[in-house]
Amino acid sequence: MADIMELKESPSSTQFCFRLSPIVAFATNMLDQANKLFYSPEESANINAVWASLIIEECSRLGLRYFCIAPGSRSSPLAVAASSHALITCISCFDERSLAFHAVGYGRGSHIPAVVITSSGTAVSNLLPAVVEASQDFVPLILLTADRPPELQECGANQAIYQVNHFGSFVRYFFNLPTPTDQIPAKMVLTTVDSAVHWATSTPRGPVHINCPFREPLENSPSEWKSSCLKGLDFWITNGEPYTKYIHMQQSCRFNNATGQLIDILNLIQRAKSGLLVIGAIHTEDEIWAALHLVKHLMWPVVTDILSGLRLRKHFTSFPDIEGNFIFVDHLDHALFSKSVREWLEIDMVIQIGSRITSKRICQMLDECVPFSYIMVDKNPNRQDPSHIVTHRVQSSIVGFVDFLLKARVPHSRSKLATSLQVLSKMVEWEIQFQICIECSLTEPHVAHVMSNALSSESALFLGNSMPIRDADMYGHSKLICSESVTSLMLNSDIPFSWIRVAGNRGASGIDGLLSTAIGFAVGCNKKVFCVIGDVSFLHDTNSLAILNQSKLREPMTILVLNNHGGGIFSFLPLANKTEPSILHQYFHTSHNISIGKLCLAHGIKHLHAQTKVELEDALFAAQNEDKDCLIEIESSIDGNANFHSILRKFALQTAENTIRLLSASLSQSSIKDEFLYFKVHKIECSQYRIALCAPPTSTSLGHDQKDFYRGGFILSLFLEDGSVGFGEIAPLEIHRENLEDAENQLRFLMHAMKGVKISCFLSLLKGSFSRWIWNELGILPSSIFPSVRCGLEMAILNAIANARGSSLLDILHSWTNEKDKYQSSTKVQVCALLDSNGSPAEVASVAAALVEEGYSAIKLKVARWGDPIHSALIIQEVRKKVGYHIDIRADANRRWNYEEAMEFSSFVKDCGLQYIEEPVQDEDDILKFCEESGLPVALDETVDNIHENHLEKLARFSHPRIVAIVIKPSIVGGFENAALIAQWARQLGKMAVISAAFESSLSLSAYVQFSYYIDMQNASRFTVSHNKVVPSVAHGLGTYRWLKEDITTNPVLIDRSPHSKFIEASVADARQLLKNFQVNQNVINNVITEDQVHTYQLTVELDNVSCLFRVQEIGQKNDDNVMVFLHGFLGTGDDWIAIMKAISGSARCISVDLPGHGKSIINTVKIPGQEPCLSLEIVAGLLHNLIDHITPAKVTLVGYSMGARIALYMALKFGFKAKGAVLISGSPGLNDKLARKIRAAKDVSRACSMVAHGLQLFLESCFRSHPHFNRIIASRLQQHDVQSLAKMLSGLSIGKQPSLWEDLKNCRMPLLLMYGEKDTKFKKTTEAMINTMCSGQEKCNNIHEVVEVPITGHAVHLENPLSIISALRHFMTRLSMLN
């Protein structure tokens, strides 16, 4: 509006513009209700321009500011008026169909109708597909179609068709305006627009059509018109309001007094015992919030459709209370492939909120489960019931209905159905993720799966029809997020989720206009939109690329086109198997070879091409960092896509079948009464053993002096409250990252942490169950537990569950189809002999021959023992000659050769028929090279042992076909869950999964025998699903039993020659019996580990005018040889350290102190005239020094966290005579900069005042959010009573007030261990600066000081990853003893 006078600036103004012609317009500015007409008409516009301007201005006043204009002569009055309006944004396109779908997308995104302006004739007809979509899916849309005047109708006039009621019943409202004339009051035009917009935006929303005939002149040529037609518009002209205001009553008032029918619904919900909540398409944030509140309130299992926005939700963490209150069943669709699941499901009520369910199987399941009460809640009156099973139809907004239920206080409880469906869904989800992960090629399910990673709460997703939306519904997944900015809001409102807005054209579900809709959606929702569509859909709408280039008012888009060169969905229909391929390709797939890249080039759109997973990841990363639109073409194939979908379905079905059998067995147990199906731990006992071996383990270096050989470890006894007990063995090998002392520390920690803990009976399903349980219940990172400890813990838990069920370890791992199969005599496991090649080739060959005589079908020879590869090769050659080719020979080099030596060995044994050579090279990077060059089959062992997390990701590089076997030691890889995962990866790729012992006792061997048989059965069942080449039966690496001279049980495991097969085998039945009747051989027990009790006392110490009554807690040794003093952080107490203290109490006297004002320590200050009593770092350190001096005369090791770390550092530097070392966790020496000190001191004083005024709750809200025991930790912090003293500590010990210790650090000779969390970037920088300061000018600094970064943790390292702290403390104590 450059030609209109600029409005005066004002603190408050409302303005509008009403144009009559290019030079005549009205504008208004309301300043304190003073209106002023800025322009008087100098020259009259024609009446067409008057009516057009009235229509456009009224649309603007009604909030319609987005206009989609198609070029045309007859519509020029409307187009000029809209494009000239200051408050309106216009977009144009030569294709009316694309333009209309674009308007539909805008309406979806903004919930405000866009206005479409077209010329007459077929231009109007081209709007029909979009009108149908908007009508079917309740999207508001305004259509202004120009038309010929009546005298040009039905007389052969050009571009004239009958446009009255052109869209029939697909529009909510139609009005045919008369041709503009000054004989009709202009008020009629305004009320027509007001009425149309009211129809479009009222329930049920949808498209409205105003047909606008115009006579010539169509341009703005002056033509007289009578201003009398504007009579009655004076007030309208001088304000910015619509002419007619439609008042909507709040719907929630309908529920204030519940009617009889609503009471009936409440009664139905209250009586429901197996209810299911189904959340269909949801379009607004308010509705999503309401849905989440309903999910939490009902505690029913929830099926969320992809269009609900909750299917791809982001959640802060999988806290146990969150999983208990929000029972999402995201993968029920694929579980329903199982007939057993469909027959098992018993639902007595369904509540569906939101419309339309994408999953056909879920709809079919609901249909099959009738009769039951089915409540459908939808604000639209239309019937959304294709199966005709809805029994109660509630016409209400989701918000209103949920508000009604919450106010009615419907009782809620978690059902066994909820628990069972949650477990079933998690198992199917795990299987789907596994299959997608290990598939090397880029698949369409992979695209759907990884989309969650690319999306954030600031982005939105638009899904094309056909396969994209179905794949997203089946394979999309929720995701963990760690962004405080997002999650703090969610957690504060008890809804710990954010969501992804998802849209799609599911009204008529066509493939036309999808990209146009997505672009409009991006404008409307004002988010960064990701659009996923198929290639045929894209080609159907390539004219939308012209709209894409008009990137007004929106964020850049990322468009993913799944190009399988045709319509892939037809491959999933029954006709695919009954139609000639040529017909299928030509008339259904509509196969093509069109270059999408060249289409993008023609339109100036950035194009990326992805053919692999890595290329897709790179392309998504590039697109996210672009400030312009980007199209990623993802290469696929119809046949490959159909095949992979088939694989996913089959494995999901198998997983669902296995899970449902185990669920049925668990639910039938009378001893399990809790609806969560838990057992409860009563106590844990731990004994240390030492047993004699016949020979040294082959993992040790060869020696000649030692004659006696022993194996040490621990027996873990886990007692459940029902009296059941399970035994596990922890036997670390010193060649790995743990030893007996490390294991003992962790066992002491577990003895404390596991008291009263609940154990789910579904842990035996594995597939991530143990990892989730360790994190949720114990509050520790699964990867922080030493492998042998985790293996022993899993063994004890599985055996305890088996004992409680009157079953065995194998039976709870494997779901038997037929109970008789359990007791077949053929349940045996073949055993591979282990032979140390210590001797000449002839001597070793003689021993091998003797083993074959005993009945071994496979022998593994340890090679590379003497370094000479030729000697090892000669041994292999001689053994092969001696035993023949019917015996499997394996070689194990234990990574002792370099590449050249390994190649030299291979050149001599090529004709020896090795089953495989295990770990032939030292360098892991040379393995694949060796596979290629040597031609020998290879097995992995140590390579797998060194993978401690993200197993599938790290194993992916070893899919080479010449890697034929994976040797899996459960005690080295971290238990049965990890072992099963690795074995499944191996099986899936056609490799042998060899379960191997690590010289453990009969307790572990009995468990491994059953586990090996379980792996073999899994292998057989996988073969029936995939029809791949079957892997032959495997001889497992359990031959270490021959090394046992003594055993920890009085009845050792029985491994002998089978009378049936004539081979050495282990009996599963005997292994079952041993574990069932397990008795400890007390002769080999040399120590019983007991949990040390906490000794609590109080001591008063004084310093100057301050005295403090300290609460002190002690655990561990009573001598003063090794004393550790633990200092907590602000708002903590000495209790924070108890678990860590108990872990190391076997080797130290551990003392924790409640700092002044914290916990039960009471501080007193003596008021001295003229002096303000205050606390400071110096005073608190002095008080603690006096306290420690009173407790022990010895030097101590100080351990401090945060505020406690600052105190510990000050004491170490100032009272060095009393400390021999210090461990500083997230600690700082203070601030050097004077201004920074002043600012921080002022900030802490302010925080202290706020704490006194408002309490601790607000202060604690941002703490410990990432910990699963968040509520428990915060509750303990809120137990602090002396807020005044806490405020004094916060202010007095502010880092801004404490003396800077940076200069003192330069001369520090006391050993310091500096620790920080991997995610704590602030203290990482501080720690690096500290170590640089201390080491400046010191040659042997690294021998004195040490830095440890604790993985996957933030600031509160000791609470987030206590096992890493325990390990670091033990090693620091060892180093201190060596330094001293």
Side-chain angles (χ1 to χ4, degrees):
M1 297 297 294
D3 56 336
I4 293 184
M5 184 183 297
E6 185 178 342
L7 302 178
K8 294 180 179 179
E9 294 183 2
S10 168
S12 174
S13 68
T14 303
Q15 61 184 20
F16 79 92
C17 172
F18 166 42
R19 171 172 289 280
L20 299 178
S21 77
I23 60 172
V24 180
F26 292 116
T28 184
N29 184 36
M30 279 76 74
L31 306 176
D32 300 324
Q33 299 180 347
N35 302 313
K36 182 178 180 180
L37 183 65
F38 275 77
Y39 280 99
S40 296
E42 296 178 0
E43 202 174 321
S44 298
N46 61 56
I47 195 65
N48 287 343
V50 174
W51 279 39
S53 291
L54 288 168
I55 291 169
I56 301 305
E57 174 59 29
E58 190 67 355
C59 284
S60 174
R61 294 186 183 204
L62 289 163
L64 279 55
R65 304 286 171 82
Y66 195 71
F67 280 63
C68 304
I69 303 174
S73 173
R74 190 62 54 173
S75 57
S76 54
L78 292 168
V80 170
S83 60
S84 303
H85 198 290
L87 302 180
I88 285 175
T89 299
C90 296
I91 194 166
S92 65
C93 182
F94 48 80
D95 181 352
E96 288 86 358
R97 185 181 65 174
S98 291
L99 194 69
F101 273 111
H102 178 75
V104 170
Y106 179 85
R108 283 196 187 283
S110 66
H111 311 298
I112 298 170
V115 182
V116 178
I117 296 175
T118 71
S119 187
S120 61
T122 57
V124 180
S125 301
N126 278 320
L127 305 180
L128 180 60
V131 171
V132 170
E133 176 61 33
S135 178
Q136 294 294 98
D137 216 16
F138 310 104
V139 179
L141 178 66
I142 311 295
L143 306 174
L144 301 178
T145 60
D147 200 358
R148 265 38 180 185
E151 63 269 21
L152 296 181
Q153 297 290 338
E154 300 186 26
C155 62
N158 185 46
Q159 208 172 322
I161 65 172
Y162 189 68
Q163 294 177 196
V164 175
N165 287 315
H166 196 68
F167 304 112
S169 62
F170 289 112
V171 293
R172 305 289 184 263
Y173 171 87
F174 170 78
F175 192 85
N176 190 41
L177 282 172
T179 306
T181 174
D182 56 9
Q183 301 303 308
I184 297 176
K187 295 182 291 186
M188 183 275 297
V189 177
L190 300 180
T191 59
T192 299
V193 173
D194 294 335
S195 179
V197 174
H198 171 68
W199 276 98
T201 56
S202 299
T203 302
R205 292 182 163 206
V208 296
H209 178 198
I210 300 177
N211 197 47
C212 308
F214 291 104
R215 289 190 177 94
E216 294 182 351
L218 300 173
E219 74 282 0
N220 285 314
S221 299
S223 178
E224 288 188 11
W225 56 279
K226 296 178 182 179
S227 61
S228 60
C229 68
L230 299 179
K231 185 179 179 180
L233 295 186
D234 295 347
F235 180 76
W236 179 82
I237 289 173
T238 57
N239 71 65
E241 298 295 321
Y243 188 81
T244 302
K245 303 180 186 70
Y246 285 80
I247 310 301
H248 291 267
M249 294 293 290
Q250 288 295 323
Q251 198 174 26
S252 60
C253 66
R254 294 169 51 191
F255 294 108
N256 286 343
N257 297 308
T259 64
Q261 289 179 323
L262 289 174
I263 294 297
D264 290 343
I265 286 177
L266 282 176
N267 290 335
L268 286 171
I269 296 172
Q270 289 171 349
R271 290 197 298 267
K273 294 181 180 179
S274 301
L276 180 71
L277 178 60
V278 178
I279 303 180
I282 295 181
H283 306 293
T284 69
E285 281 202 8
D286 287 344
E287 290 175 333
I288 294 175
W289 270 105
L292 283 169
H293 278 287
L294 183 61
V295 170
K296 182 179 181 182
H297 182 74
L298 287 178
M299 294 178 67
W300 287 7
V302 186
V303 174
T304 57
D305 188 80
I306 187 63
L307 294 178
S308 69
L310 295 174
R311 187 69 170 73
L312 304 179
R313 66 195 173 276
K314 311 289 185 179
H315 54 104
F316 189 63
T317 190
S318 54
F319 295 166
D321 53 343
I322 291 174
E323 291 195 352
N325 294 333
F326 298 88
I327 309 163
F328 291 104
V329 186
D330 289 336
H331 293 274
L332 181 60
D333 175 277
H334 267 37
L336 292 173
F337 280 118
S338 164
K339 182 181 178 182
S340 300
V341 171
R342 297 195 301 271
E343 292 175 346
W344 167 82
L345 267 175
E346 291 184 4
I347 300 169
D348 61 5
M349 165 160 266
V350 171
I351 298 177
Q352 180 181 336
I353 59 175
S355 61
R356 300 186 186 277
I357 303 300
T358 302
S359 169
K360 183 178 180 180
R361 275 173 294 280
I362 288 176
C363 291
Q364 289 173 337
M365 176 272 294
L366 294 173
D367 193 10
E368 291 171 2
C369 283
V370 291
F372 53 74
S373 298
Y374 196 121
I375 299 172
M376 175 75 176
V377 181
D378 194 358
K379 63 184 176 184
N380 296 306
N382 301 51
R383 180 172 54 168
Q384 298 283 346
D385 184 21
S387 297
H388 309 289
I389 57 177
V390 172
T391 60
H392 298 76
R393 182 67 164 76
V394 180
Q395 187 178 344
S396 161
S397 69
I398 295 171
V399 175
F401 178 74
V402 172
D403 184 57
F404 165 67
L405 286 187
L406 295 181
K407 286 179 179 177
R409 297 184 180 179
V410 177
H412 55 278
S413 62
R414 182 182 174 115
S415 64
K416 285 190 177 181
L417 173 70
T419 301
S420 302
L421 281 178
Q422 191 175 40
V423 171
L424 178 64
S425 177
K426 283 185 181 297
M427 293 302 103
V428 173
E429 177 183 18
W430 189 96
E431 185 65 37
I432 288 171
Q433 290 183 353
F434 173 85
Q435 295 296 334
I436 291 175
C437 181
I438 68 166
E439 174 59 39
C440 298
S441 61
L442 175 57
T443 64
E444 293 179 26
H446 173 80
V447 176
H449 190 69
V450 300
M451 275 307 301
S452 296
N453 301 328
L455 295 167
S456 69
S457 56
E458 286 75 39
S459 57
L461 176 64
F462 186 91
L463 293 167
N465 288 320
S466 194
M467 288 309 297
I469 192 168
R470 289 175 172 84
D471 280 346
D473 193 56
M474 293 185 293
Y475 307 123
H477 66 102
S478 60
K479 187 173 180 289
L480 210 66
I481 57 173
C482 300
S483 170
E484 287 288 339
S485 60
V486 175
T487 53
S488 59
L489 175 64
M490 305 302 161
L491 284 166
N492 289 341
S493 58
D494 295 325
I495 302 295
F497 302 102
S498 64
W499 46 83
I500 302 298
R501 187 156 178 205
V502 184
N505 278 356
R506 298 302 283 174
S509 299
I511 65 167
D512 47 348
L514 291 175
L515 184 53
S516 297
T517 309
I519 300 167
F521 177 69
V523 179
C525 72
N526 197 28
K527 291 176 178 283
K528 185 174 176 66
V529 168
F530 287 76
C531 171
V532 185
I533 60 174
D535 53 330
V536 176
S537 298
F538 173 77
L539 295 174
H540 205 290
D541 194 25
T542 52
N543 284 344
S544 63
L545 295 176
I547 302 176
L548 187 66
N549 273 324
Q550 303 176 59
S551 55
K552 295 180 180 179
L553 300 177
R554 65 171 174 82
E555 297 289 325
M557 290 182 65
T558 300
I559 301 161
L560 280 70
V561 178
L562 301 167
N563 188 6
N564 52 31
H565 304 278
I569 193 170
F570 295 102
S571 298
F572 299 92
L573 302 180
L575 67 88
N577 298 321
K578 299 179 181 179
T579 308
E580 287 291 329
S582 60
I583 296 175
L584 194 67
H585 280 283
Q586 185 171 357
Y587 299 105
F588 292 93
H589 292 163
T590 55
S591 302
H592 68 88
N593 289 307
I594 299 172
S595 171
I596 291 175
K598 289 181 179 178
L599 280 171
C600 290
L601 180 64
H603 287 270
I605 307 296
K606 183 178 177 65
H607 173 265
L608 298 171
H609 196 206
Q611 294 179 290
T612 67
K613 288 182 176 181
V614 173
E615 287 177 352
L616 175 61
E617 184 180 349
D618 293 342
L620 284 170
F621 179 80
Q624 286 176 288
N625 291 281
E626 285 280 355
D627 58 356
K628 58 184 178 181
D629 300 318
C630 185
L631 186 146
I632 303 173
E633 180 185 355
I634 299 169
E635 200 69 34
S636 180
S637 76
I638 290 176
D639 293 339
N641 184 44
N643 181 57
F644 188 60
H645 274 83
S646 175
I647 290 171
L648 289 173
R649 288 196 300 269
K650 289 175 181 177
F651 280 112
L653 185 153
Q654 185 187 70
T655 298
E657 295 275 356
N658 293 339
T659 304
I660 208 67
R661 283 195 289 269
L662 286 169
L663 279 170
S664 300
S666 300
L667 291 167
S668 65
Q669 290 291 314
S670 58
S671 61
I672 307 174
K673 303 187 183 301
D674 189 278
E675 69 272 15
F676 292 95
L677 304 174
Y678 284 130
F679 299 103
K680 201 168 185 179
V681 175
H682 174 58
K683 65 175 180 177
I684 289 180
E685 293 179 354
C686 192
S687 303
Q688 187 171 358
Y689 71 80
R690 186 169 182 258
I691 55 176
L693 301 179
C694 303
T698 58
S699 56
T700 60
S701 300
L702 292 175
H704 301 286
D705 300 332
Q706 194 173 349
K707 295 182 180 180
D708 297 322
F709 309 99
Y710 296 93
R711 184 82 164 94
F714 303 90
I715 303 171
L716 186 67
S717 307
L718 188 146
F719 295 85
L720 303 179
E721 284 193 341
D722 67 355
S724 304
V725 61
F727 297 96
E729 181 178 4
I730 296 93
L733 279 175
E734 300 255 349
I735 62 170
H736 294 280
R737 60 174 179 145
E738 52 181 315
N739 56 35
L740 284 172
E741 290 182 345
D742 290 323
E744 181 181 340
N745 289 339
Q746 291 202 349
L747 286 170
R748 287 180 179 274
F749 176 89
L750 291 172
M751 290 173 71
H752 170 76
M754 286 188 63
K755 283 186 296 187
V757 164
K758 291 180 177 179
I759 292 177
S760 169
C761 65
F762 302 127
L763 289 181
S764 60
L765 291 167
L766 306 179
K767 298 189 176 183
S769 299
F770 266 108
S771 294
R772 285 192 297 272
W773 176 82
I774 289 168
W775 174 236
N776 289 340
E777 293 296 329
L778 303 185
I780 55 179
L781 294 166
S783 59
S784 68
I785 305 181
F786 287 127
S788 71
V789 176
R790 176 164 174 175
C791 181
L793 177 63
E794 289 185 8
M795 191 187 302
I797 289 173
L798 291 172
N799 282 327
I801 294 173
N803 193 325
R805 291 186 183 173
S807 187
S808 70
L809 188 147
L810 172 61
D811 299 335
I812 65 170
L813 289 176
H814 179 73
S815 54
W816 297 90
T817 307
N818 187 338
E819 283 293 309
K820 295 179 181 178
D821 294 342
K822 289 185 182 181
Y823 310 105
Q824 287 183 357
S825 59
S826 60
T827 51
K828 304 277 188 178
V829 172
Q830 287 189 33
V831 176
C832 176
L834 180 62
L835 177 57
D836 203 342
S837 56
N838 185 11
S840 67
E843 291 170 337
V844 176
S846 296
V847 176
L851 291 172
V852 172
E853 282 295 315
E854 287 183 42
Y856 287 99
S857 61
I859 301 173
K860 182 165 84 170
L861 291 116
K862 289 287 184 175
V863 295
R865 303 292 277 166
W866 305 103
D868 180 8
I870 296 178
H871 178 77
S872 295
L874 292 174
I875 290 176
I876 296 294
Q877 291 175 352
E878 192 64 28
V879 170
R880 177 55 80 195
K881 289 178 186 176
K882 195 80 172 177
V883 303
Y885 281 83
H886 65 287
I887 300 297
D888 290 328
I889 296 180
R890 304 166 181 174
D892 185 3
N894 288 115
R895 287 188 167 188
R896 298 190 180 192
W897 284 325
N898 60 33
Y899 178 74
E900 289 73 21
E901 290 170 332
M903 286 301 298
E904 187 177 14
F905 169 82
S906 71
S907 66
F908 282 89
V909 298
K910 281 184 177 179
D911 299 325
C912 292
L914 280 182
Q915 190 175 31
Y916 56 71
I917 168 76
E918 219 173 288
E919 296 290 348
V921 289
Q922 295 168 351
D923 191 341
E924 191 174 286
D925 294 332
D926 287 334
I927 292 176
L928 298 183
K929 183 180 176 183
F930 179 85
C931 290
E932 291 289 343
E933 298 297 327
S934 71
L936 289 183
V938 171
L940 302 183
D941 184 0
E942 284 87 350
T943 300
V944 177
D945 297 345
N946 292 332
I947 300 175
H948 305 303
E949 53 188 340
N950 302 324
H951 292 82
L952 296 182
E953 180 183 323
K954 294 174 182 177
L955 283 169
R957 61 184 292 221
F958 300 111
S959 58
H960 195 286
R962 283 207 178 96
I963 296 177
V964 300
I966 309 295
V967 179
I968 308 166
K969 302 184 184 78
S971 64
I972 307 300
V973 300
F976 297 92
E977 183 169 271
N978 286 338
L981 170 65
I982 297 166
Q984 184 172 342
W985 176 84
R987 288 193 308 269
Q988 199 77 16
L989 297 180
K991 306 179 190 301
M992 286 185 286
V994 181
I995 305 303
S996 180
F999 301 96
E1000 296 102 327
S1001 73
S1002 288
L1003 175 56
S1004 290
L1005 285 169
S1006 296
Y1008 296 163
V1009 166
Q1010 296 183 70
F1011 185 67
S1012 298
Y1013 191 75
Y1014 163 72
I1015 295 300
D1016 289 345
M1017 287 192 295
Q1018 292 291 102
N1019 191 26
S1021 62
R1022 293 267 155 182
F1023 169 68
T1024 61
V1025 170
S1026 60
H1027 302 294
N1028 290 334
K1029 180 182 176 182
V1030 65
V1031 178
S1033 59
V1034 176
H1036 293 280
L1038 307 179
T1040 56
Y1041 76 94
R1042 296 170 63 90
W1043 267 250
L1044 298 178
K1045 190 175 183 179
E1046 291 181 305
D1047 211 332
I1048 64 173
T1049 177
T1050 52
N1051 298 304
V1053 66
L1054 184 62
I1055 298 177
D1056 58 9
R1057 189 166 187 157
S1058 167
H1060 303 287
S1061 67
K1062 309 303 180 183
F1063 292 130
I1064 296 292
E1065 295 176 334
S1067 166
V1068 173
D1070 289 343
R1072 278 191 181 115
Q1073 202 63 29
L1074 187 149
L1075 290 176
K1076 183 178 180 181
N1077 303 316
F1078 183 78
Q1079 295 289 326
V1080 177
N1081 178 9
Q1082 296 296 331
N1083 294 327
V1084 300
I1085 303 300
N1086 55 14
N1087 184 30
V1088 176
I1089 299 172
T1090 57
E1091 184 181 2
D1092 291 327
Q1093 299 303 307
V1094 180
H1095 173 49
T1096 305
Y1097 55 91
Q1098 292 182 311
L1099 286 175
T1100 300
V1101 296
E1102 297 180 353
L1103 181 68
D1104 298 333
N1105 63 333
V1106 179
S1107 69
C1108 184
L1109 176 65
F1110 283 101
R1111 182 181 75 146
V1112 182
Q1113 298 183 89
E1114 275 201 43
I1115 306 174
Q1117 298 178 355
K1118 301 304 179 185
N1119 59 56
D1120 293 321
D1121 294 339
N1122 194 5
V1123 183
M1124 304 193 81
V1125 177
F1126 293 82
L1127 306 176
H1128 59 78
F1130 182 64
L1131 291 184
T1133 67
D1135 295 336
D1136 293 351
W1137 297 105
I1138 294 299
I1140 291 175
M1141 290 164 60
K1142 286 195 172 187
I1144 60 174
S1145 61
S1147 54
R1149 179 185 179 189
C1150 300
I1151 300 168
S1152 70
V1153 180
D1154 287 0
L1155 292 177
H1158 291 72
K1160 296 183 180 178
S1161 289
I1162 302 171
I1163 192 166
N1164 294 302
T1165 56
V1166 179
K1167 292 187 177 180
I1168 300 175
Q1171 292 186 22
E1172 183 67 26
C1174 66
L1175 291 174
S1176 66
L1177 183 71
E1178 300 95 313
I1179 290 174
V1180 172
L1183 287 168
L1184 287 168
H1185 169 263
N1186 293 346
L1187 173 70
I1188 294 169
D1189 208 36
H1190 186 85
I1191 294 173
T1192 175
K1195 284 188 174 186
V1196 302
T1197 301
L1198 297 165
V1199 182
Y1201 157 69
S1202 195
M1203 178 185 281
R1206 290 191 283 120
I1207 297 170
L1209 178 60
Y1210 182 87
M1211 294 177 68
L1213 295 173
K1214 303 297 184 181
F1215 305 116
F1217 53 87
K1218 191 61 182 174
K1220 59 182 179 180
V1223 179
L1224 311 178
I1225 303 171
S1226 304
S1228 166
L1231 300 173
N1232 263 333
D1233 184 75
K1234 289 184 179 180
L1235 179 60
R1237 288 167 60 84
K1238 285 183 179 180
I1239 293 172
R1240 179 56 186 266
K1243 184 183 290 186
D1244 285 337
V1245 169
S1246 174
R1247 294 165 74 199
C1249 293
S1250 176
M1251 182 185 297
V1252 172
H1254 304 293
L1256 299 177
Q1257 184 70 47
L1258 290 175
F1259 194 88
L1260 288 167
E1261 278 183 352
S1262 62
C1263 303
F1264 313 109
R1265 288 201 178 280
S1266 60
H1267 201 279
H1269 297 164
F1270 167 77
N1271 292 331
R1272 192 185 309 171
I1273 295 171
I1274 295 302
S1276 70
R1277 297 294 188 266
L1278 291 173
Q1279 296 302 310
Q1280 308 274 6
H1281 299 298
D1282 192 355
V1283 178
Q1284 293 285 348
S1285 293
L1286 289 172
K1288 290 179 182 178
M1289 286 285 286
L1290 176 59
S1291 173
L1293 273 71
S1294 167
I1295 197 171
K1297 291 183 179 180
Q1298 78 165 63
S1300 174
L1301 301 174
W1302 287 100
E1303 285 298 317
D1304 299 81
L1305 281 178
K1306 294 179 181 179
N1307 302 312
C1308 179
R1309 298 294 180 270
M1310 180 176 295
L1312 298 182
L1313 170 59
L1314 309 180
M1315 304 186 71
Y1316 62 88
E1318 179 187 9
K1319 300 176 184 177
D1320 193 349
T1321 54
K1322 174 184 174 183
F1323 278 89
K1324 179 178 182 177
K1325 292 178 180 177
T1326 301
T1327 303
E1328 289 172 350
M1330 289 174 68
I1331 200 72
N1332 290 335
T1333 300
M1334 289 188 292
C1335 292
S1336 178
Q1338 294 187 35
E1339 294 182 2
K1340 298 183 178 180
C1341 171
N1342 292 333
N1343 295 330
I1344 301 174
H1345 308 302
E1346 185 182 357
V1347 175
V1348 173
E1349 179 181 277
V1350 182
I1352 326 176
T1353 55
H1355 189 65
V1357 177
H1358 63 309
L1359 296 177
E1360 297 175 50
N1361 196 343
L1363 294 184
S1364 292
I1365 298 292
I1366 292 165
S1367 179
L1369 289 178
R1370 195 189 75 76
H1371 289 287
F1372 185 64
M1373 286 190 291
T1374 303
R1375 197 159 62 85
L1376 281 181
S1377 63
M1378 293 171 63
L1379 289 172
N1380 292 329

